[in-house]
Amino acid sequence: MGKLLEIQKLYKAYDRGPVLQDLNLSVEAGRIVGIVGPNGCGKTTLFKTLAGLINDYRGTVTIDGHSPDIYTRSIISYLPEKTYLADWMKARDALDVFADFYRDFDRRKAEELLRRFQLEPGMKLKTMSKGMQEKVQLILVMSRSARLYILDEPLSGVDPAARDSVLDIILNNYSENASVLLSTHLIYDVERIFDDVVILSSGKVLAADSVDHLRETTGQSLNDYFREVFKC
């Protein structure tokens, strides 16, 4: 598999100072990559940059050979940390929006996933719990035939009993020529699906490796290694 994502010397700062500092990263197609690190390490800023929502950065970012542009936005399916759907919408309205905006959206798949999670198409989003809303958003994102899925904390509001089902949605709904970037604080629950992991600290890559190699060299699970690296 070739490189789907290449980042070189990515730098982004806000008024309070740098958030990403000379970050280098490459991701091959067909991989699920965990992006982990403490609060404020730059995960969300990185994701917004890849999604084309931030463009005042230094360095180079290429996705399938293109800098962030109309083409890359068409092949990226992005799940932000905060909801972007209107409260007045019903679940079926959200499906309508995605069907109108994205030619690669598979409405039949989305409807099947709604049934699997016992989410009624006629239910209004404002009457749903945070976890239910997040399931709807994940269903929308994973029902596209994208090349790069960017998932920012997709499990933060999902109850523990449903996490395995959510992870199965991610595992079963991307193709071998696509990759997934997933940020999470729930490493123990999620590390089983990761092929690779990128650990960020203060906007820099602290470690980037396959999860299997990291376990072999450290003798620890990813969760235990993360806790050791960032222990107080």
Side-chain angles (χ1 to χ4, degrees):
M1 291 289 181
K3 293 289 190 297
L4 178 59
L5 170 64
E6 286 274 9
I7 299 173
Q8 296 180 345
K9 295 187 178 300
L10 177 60
Y11 179 92
K12 167 63 183 172
Y14 297 109
D15 291 340
R16 64 182 184 275
V19 179
L20 300 174
Q21 302 186 64
D22 294 329
L23 187 146
N24 298 294
L25 177 64
S26 65
V27 175
E28 294 183 354
R31 310 291 284 180
I32 298 181
V33 183
I35 309 294
V36 301
N39 289 335
C41 70
K43 299 188 295 292
T44 294
T45 297
L46 171 62
F47 284 177
K48 286 182 176 179
T49 301
L50 298 180
L53 302 176
I54 292 175
N55 52 35
D56 57 339
Y57 59 84
R58 297 204 306 261
T60 61
V61 176
T62 56
I63 303 158
D64 197 28
H66 292 249
S67 297
D69 59 9
I70 293 175
Y71 169 72
T72 62
R73 285 194 287 273
S74 74
I75 64 168
I76 289 175
S77 197
Y78 174 47
L79 176 69
E81 186 177 12
K82 296 181 179 179
T83 183
Y84 54 86
L85 299 173
D87 283 347
W88 60 262
M89 284 184 175
K90 298 175 182 178
R92 69 165 63 95
D93 296 325
L95 268 61
D96 289 341
V97 169
F98 264 61
D100 287 341
F101 270 86
Y102 302 109
R103 284 183 288 181
D104 61 1
F105 180 68
D106 186 338
R107 188 181 186 110
R108 182 175 297 179
K109 178 191 288 186
E111 291 172 343
E112 180 182 330
L113 290 172
L114 285 177
R115 287 192 294 271
R116 177 175 173 181
F117 279 102
Q118 299 179 326
L119 296 168
E120 293 295 331
M123 191 173 182
K124 286 189 176 180
L125 297 180
K126 67 180 179 181
T127 66
M128 295 181 181
S129 67
K130 184 174 185 288
M132 294 168 73
Q133 291 180 13
E134 291 187 352
K135 289 174 189 174
V136 171
Q137 290 184 98
L138 181 63
I139 287 168
L140 293 168
V141 167
M142 297 308 299
S143 293
R144 289 185 56 201
S145 181
R147 293 292 312 283
L148 182 62
Y149 297 88
I150 301 176
L151 312 178
D152 197 354
E153 295 288 348
L155 298 177
S156 61
V158 178
D159 60 273
R163 284 174 190 162
D164 283 345
S165 295
V166 169
L167 295 180
D168 286 342
I169 288 178
I170 296 168
L171 278 172
N172 296 326
N173 289 282
Y174 84 104
S175 64
E176 64 180 13
N177 71 335
S179 288
V180 178
L181 302 182
L182 188 158
S183 72
T184 184
H185 289 95
L186 303 170
I187 297 173
Y188 177 81
D189 296 291
V190 184
E191 68 171 281
R192 71 173 176 85
I193 76 166
F194 290 159
D195 297 306
D196 307 308
V197 63
V198 176
I199 301 176
L200 298 182
S201 179
S202 301
K204 299 178 181 179
V205 175
L206 193 65
D209 204 347
S210 75
V211 172
D212 287 342
H213 186 255
L214 185 145
R215 290 182 183 128
E216 290 173 6
T217 55
T218 66
Q220 296 174 297
S221 69
L222 174 58
N223 185 62
D224 289 341
Y225 178 71
F226 180 85
R227 287 176 175 272
E228 180 177 295
V229 169
F230 291 104
K231 66 184 178 183
C232 296

